[in-house]
């Protein structure tokens, strides 16, 4: 699986005398927590590479910082940095991950449990942290980059594991794609041109849009809700996020070109796993589709599929 790697940095703590007339030094004893990305690469929609290894600029990420008290998560501790409500962080062009307000390590010297969720809108209150399942649905229209990003649920945690001991060193965080990605690549066959492939409209058919997850882990439930179609976009290379689930045999991918609809059908029921990428390479002929479906390693290996498609 492909993961996004980030870093949390803490400034050096300055120790001062305890005299009551040295209030400025006491304030300086606070050790700030600063988050930043290693690098920032803005990916293009056509390249099916949106946020594979880094967040784009101006994205919002929810971060939970919970005090470590003798190995126990204590969101209500007197020295906890933020309690259990998520903090809003925003990515920047220079790799910065900036909070709405500066955050500090607990002054009693305790470490923190750190968790991140993207998109930030997926968690909005303290109920998200306490073990309650959170409901999340992918967008039906992912033809825009915004719609795709809003569907790409990720969970982040320190690479070395939680809790994190108070430190002046950078603390690496790894964000994991939790759902399932479908790539569709089109090649012009008999009767078509590559220009026509660039204008093709691609949809993923009959998938359930809703799952549940928890802030502290990477597990998600299988899809639920009314099966719907997902607009993956227009072009020879498109992609969409779906919820992990079993999709019934039958039409699964629709390509609309010049008013004609072409379908790729699953020959049997197929389970689409979480954290996994499935790639379908389709040659479009006037008489139908020639399929060679493979996978790449951007996420986890989802296997390959072979089949036929007919013009309807």
């Amino acid at each position: 699986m492909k993961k996004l790697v980030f870093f949390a940095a803490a400034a050096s703590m300055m120790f001062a005398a305890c005299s009551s007339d040295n209030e400025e030094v006491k304030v300086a004893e606070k050790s700030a927590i600063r988050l930043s990305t290693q690098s920032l690469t803005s990916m293009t929609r056509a390249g099916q590479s949106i946020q594979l290894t880094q967040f784009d600029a101006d994205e919002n990420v929810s971060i939970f910082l919970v005090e470590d008290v003798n190995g126990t998560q204590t969101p209500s501790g007197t020295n906890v940095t933020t309690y259990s409500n998520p903090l809003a962080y925003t990515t920047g062009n220079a790799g910065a991950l900036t909070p709405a307000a500066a955050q500090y390590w607990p002054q009693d010297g305790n470490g923190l449990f750190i968790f991140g969720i993207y998109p930030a809108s997926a968690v909005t209150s303290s109920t998200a942290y306490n073990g309650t399942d959170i409901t999340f649905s992918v967008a039906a229209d992912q033809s825009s980059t915004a719609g795709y990003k809003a569907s790409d649920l990720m969970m982040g945690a320190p690479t070395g594991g939680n809790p994190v001991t108070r430190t002046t060193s950078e603390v690496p965080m790894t964000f994991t794609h939790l759902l399932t990605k479908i790539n569709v690549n089109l090649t012009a066959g008999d009767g078509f041109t590559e220009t026509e492939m660039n204008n093709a409209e691609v949809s993923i058919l009959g998938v359930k849009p809703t799952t549940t997850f928890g802030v502290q882990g990477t597990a998600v439930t299988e899809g639920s809700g009314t099966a719907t179609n997902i607009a993956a976009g227009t072009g020879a290379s498109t992609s969409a996020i779906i919820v992990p689930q079993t999709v019934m045999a039958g039409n699964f991918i629709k390509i609309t070109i010049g008013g004609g609809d072409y379908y790729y059908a699953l020959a049997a029921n197929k389970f689409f796993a979480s954290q996994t990428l499935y790639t379908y390479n389709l040659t479009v002929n006037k008489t139908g589709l020639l399929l060679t479906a493979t996978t790449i390693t951007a996420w986890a290996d989802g296997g390959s599929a072979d089949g036929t498609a007919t013009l309807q």
Side-chain angles (χ1 to χ4, degrees):
M1 69 191 74
K2 199 70 172 183
K3 299 180 177 181
L4 304 179
V5 180
F6 300 88
F7 290 88
S12 296
M13 183 175 182
M14 297 175 61
F15 293 94
C18 297
S19 60
S20 58
D21 60 351
N22 198 355
E23 292 301 319
E24 290 186 2
V25 175
K26 288 183 179 180
V27 172
E29 289 178 355
K30 295 168 102 177
S31 185
I33 303 167
R34 299 191 302 271
L35 302 179
S36 67
T37 62
Q38 270 189 305
S39 61
L40 187 65
T41 303
S42 182
M43 301 297 187
T44 63
R45 174 70 175 168
Q48 300 177 327
S49 302
I50 299 175
Q51 299 189 153
L52 288 180
T53 58
Q54 290 293 341
F55 286 125
D56 290 340
D58 299 322
E59 295 299 311
N60 296 321
V61 180
S62 286
I63 300 291
F64 292 88
L65 303 175
V66 181
E67 187 170 6
D68 171 26
V69 180
N70 298 321
T72 301
Q73 299 176 51
T74 310
S76 60
T78 56
N79 292 306
V80 74
T81 306
T82 65
Y83 302 95
S84 55
N85 289 315
L87 293 165
Y89 279 71
T90 304
T91 61
N93 285 316
L97 195 58
T98 306
Q103 302 301 314
Y104 301 92
W105 290 91
Q107 287 184 300
D108 57 11
N110 285 338
L112 293 171
F113 288 83
I114 305 175
F115 302 95
I117 295 294
Y118 176 88
S121 58
V123 287
T124 57
S125 71
S126 60
T127 58
Y129 180 79
N130 63 11
T132 303
D133 286 340
I134 306 161
T135 300
F136 181 84
S137 297
V138 297
D141 185 359
Q142 297 179 32
S143 58
S144 69
T145 297
Y148 175 90
K149 288 179 177 178
S151 305
D152 191 7
L153 181 64
M154 302 183 215
M155 183 271 183
T159 303
N162 274 312
V164 178
T165 302
R166 179 170 177 156
T167 178
T168 59
S169 300
E170 293 179 335
V171 179
M173 288 186 68
T174 299
F175 278 75
T176 302
H177 299 276
L178 300 186
L179 303 184
T180 305
K181 183 173 181 177
I182 306 293
N183 279 352
V184 179
N185 298 315
L186 305 179
T187 300
D190 294 341
F192 283 114
T193 65
E194 294 300 332
T195 298
E196 288 174 301
M197 296 301 102
N198 292 333
N199 294 319
E201 297 177 7
V202 179
S203 297
I204 309 300
L205 307 180
V207 292
K208 297 178 180 179
T210 302
T211 187
T212 60
F213 71 99
V215 166
Q216 302 177 43
T218 58
V220 295
T221 58
E222 290 189 32
S224 62
T226 302
T228 188
N229 299 336
I230 305 293
T234 300
S237 295
T238 57
S239 55
I241 300 293
I242 67 171
V243 171
Q245 62 191 277
T246 297
V247 177
M248 299 297 104
N251 290 342
F252 178 56
I253 299 172
K254 182 175 78 170
I255 303 106
T256 301
I257 304 174
D261 292 334
Y262 297 78
Y263 293 86
Y264 165 67
L266 297 173
N269 297 350
K270 181 174 178 60
F271 178 69
F272 290 88
S274 65
Q275 305 178 35
T276 304
L277 166 68
Y278 299 83
T279 297
Y280 290 87
N281 299 316
L282 305 175
T283 298
V284 187
N285 300 309
K286 284 282 188 180
T287 56
L289 300 181
L290 175 64
L291 170 68
T292 303
T294 60
T295 59
I296 59 177
T297 58
W299 290 18
D301 183 1
S304 61
D306 296 306
T308 58
T310 58
L311 174 63
Q312 298 181 6

